Amino acid sequence: MFNQKKAELAYKKYVKNFEDRDIYEKSIVKYNGLKDGIEQIIKTNEREKDHILLVRIGSIFAHYHLLWKKDILIDGSHSIDSLKQLQIALFYQCLSRDIYKIRYPNMMVTYSFKDIISCLIHFTMFGWEQEEHILFNFIAEHIGDSSISANNLNRHTWFLLELYLLYRNQLIMDTNEDVFIAVEEELIEREAPHDLIPDDLGIYDEVLKSWSTPVEEEITALIGQMINYHSELASELGKTIEFGDYRYGFYPYEILFLLHVRKKKGLPVPQHFEELLMNTPEAQMVFQEPEPYPEKDPLLVQIDSFYRKNYPDYFLNQYGEELFQ
């Protein structure tokens, strides 16, 4: 049974985690310190060391993650530029990892399937159609390999991927239904790890069956169950993997995406929510249509240019250089 008091205490803990101003000062110092190492590798064209650039993208992501929390949770700002920057860093992290799949096939990635699907969903909500298209093509081509490990237990992630496919009329592995099952079967055939993929999607199975219902009362009831599911897991902050983390714990982006696609389809959505989860500063963020691109991160620009020059098979070489502008 859902415990409202427990959820409120967990949320206070969630916010308190980002209240120490020193962590932002340290993050800025660390970010500025990345420049020399990146520029040295690029200046000397040290390809034998250029995997370090991929690691540095992870540090850039972590920096913007902290700034996003500071802007929204601590400073009460309405700016989402840091949220946009962290999604852009994830994009480059994922697509750059593919360069090293032969040289370092066992390299651990610092992002997850959950992160990459979240990035795809945010690009969609931002209205960044070109980048969304590129990322989806990459996911469809590489799902389950070393660039995008799909052995993932997060039910909401599989829900988001399938809802995206239904919304965009796309397919992965020739299907847009029970995608998690199709991916698991493919991984079994490849003798790849698959033990974390869930047996079902719980409440999300019901939502996928009715995501486009014209009946507002029906979708409102389903969203209520989604809120309870998310809130219960977020209440176990630090103890559960799905919503028990400090990145997306109290950020209901799976519900916001459902509301987004229904609005785009001209379908009714609830206009007001009483629950804590839907009234946090993160849940109340407003996205423009389309959302303007932020100023390009100079370190990501340098890394991207280096990969384009040195690796003809770099995925983004297929699309030219007119991204995020």
Side-chain angles (χ1 to χ4, degrees), residues 31-99:
Y31 173 85
N32 290 334
L34 298 174
K35 182 179 179 181
D36 290 343
I38 290 172
E39 291 184 346
Q40 177 62 26
I41 291 172
I42 292 174
K43 180 180 179 181
T44 56
N45 212 45
E46 294 183 86
R47 284 188 54 176
E48 69 278 5
K49 294 183 179 179
D50 65 18
H51 60 280
I52 294 172
L53 299 178
L54 180 59
V55 177
R56 296 295 178 262
I57 298 177
S59 298
I60 293 168
F61 166 85
H63 172 66
Y64 284 116
H65 170 249
L66 279 178
L67 292 186
W68 169 46
K69 297 300 184 180
K70 175 179 179 293
D71 290 343
I72 302 299
L73 292 180
I74 307 306
D75 292 348
S77 168
H78 297 295
S79 172
I80 61 168
D81 274 0
S82 295
L83 173 61
K84 291 186 283 190
Q85 292 283 18
L86 76 84
Q87 302 298 346
I88 292 171
L90 262 171
F91 173 86
Y92 283 112
Q93 235 185 324
C94 181
L95 273 63
S96 300
R97 168 64 183 90
D98 189 55
I99 291 172

Side-chain angles (χ1 to χ4, degrees), residues 253-272:
Y253 65 108
E254 79 287 9
I255 300 171
L256 298 179
F257 184 62
L258 174 61
L259 296 174
H260 172 83
V261 300
R262 284 185 59 85
K263 289 176 184 176
K264 285 291 189 179
K265 293 290 187 180
L267 296 167
V269 298
Q271 298 302 311
H272 180 72

Side-chain angles (χ1 to χ4, degrees), residues 219-319:
I219 202 65
T220 298
L222 289 169
I223 290 173
Q225 293 181 60
M226 291 173 71
I227 292 171
N228 284 341
Y229 177 76
H230 188 134
S231 299
E232 287 174 5
L233 292 176
S235 297
E236 300 293 337
L237 198 61
K239 298 178 182 178
T240 62
I241 295 176
E242 186 165 21
F243 303 131
D245 62 284
Y246 286 91
R247 183 176 300 170
Y248 297 136
F250 279 90
Y251 175 36
Y253 65 108
E254 79 287 9
I255 300 171
L256 298 179
F257 184 62
L258 174 61
L259 296 174
H260 172 83
V261 300
R262 284 185 59 85
K263 289 176 184 176
K264 285 291 189 179
K265 293 290 187 180
L267 296 167
V269 298
Q271 298 302 311
H272 180 72
F273 295 96
E274 297 291 341
E275 296 86 353
L276 166 67
L277 182 68
M278 301 303 293
N279 287 284
T280 67
E282 290 172 327
Q284 295 293 311
M285 289 186 299
V286 177
F287 301 152
Q288 298 182 45
E289 297 186 17
E291 189 64 37
Y293 294 112
E295 183 176 346
K296 288 189 175 184
D297 180 274
L299 301 184
L300 284 178
V301 169
Q302 291 183 68
I303 293 171
D304 179 52
S305 297
F306 178 89
Y307 283 145
R308 288 177 183 273
K309 180 181 74 173
N310 285 281
Y311 296 94
D313 57 347
Y314 177 47
F315 197 81
L316 293 182
N317 276 333
Q318 302 175 38
Y319 299 95

Side-chain angles (χ1 to χ4, degrees), residues 109-205:
V109 298
T110 56
Y111 56 86
S112 67
F113 184 59
K114 173 182 176 180
D115 294 328
I116 294 304
I117 299 304
S118 169
C119 184
L120 176 68
I121 295 312
H122 279 88
F123 283 1
T124 307
M125 290 195 290
F126 294 161
W128 295 354
E129 293 184 2
Q130 178 179 220
E131 293 78 14
E132 173 201 331
H133 175 73
I134 292 171
L135 185 56
F136 173 74
N137 285 345
F138 189 84
I139 292 170
E141 182 176 338
H142 293 278
I143 190 168
D145 70 17
S146 59
S147 299
I148 305 178
S149 172
N151 186 27
N152 193 280
L153 55 72
N154 291 286
R155 286 182 167 89
H156 80 277
T157 299
W158 292 107
F159 160 74
L160 284 169
L161 177 56
E162 190 163 322
L163 180 58
Y164 173 85
L165 296 175
L166 293 167
Y167 171 55
R168 288 301 196 205
N169 195 27
Q170 294 279 9
L171 302 175
I172 279 185
M173 295 183 178
D174 299 320
T175 188
N176 59 12
E177 295 182 352
D178 296 329
V179 178
F180 66 104
I181 295 176
V183 172
E184 182 178 29
E185 290 173 349
E186 176 68 18
L187 293 180
I188 290 172
E189 187 173 327
R190 295 184 203 169
E191 298 184 348
H194 60 274
D195 55 305
L196 297 179
I197 296 177
D199 295 328
D200 61 70
L201 300 187
I203 177 55
Y204 300 123
D205 279 325

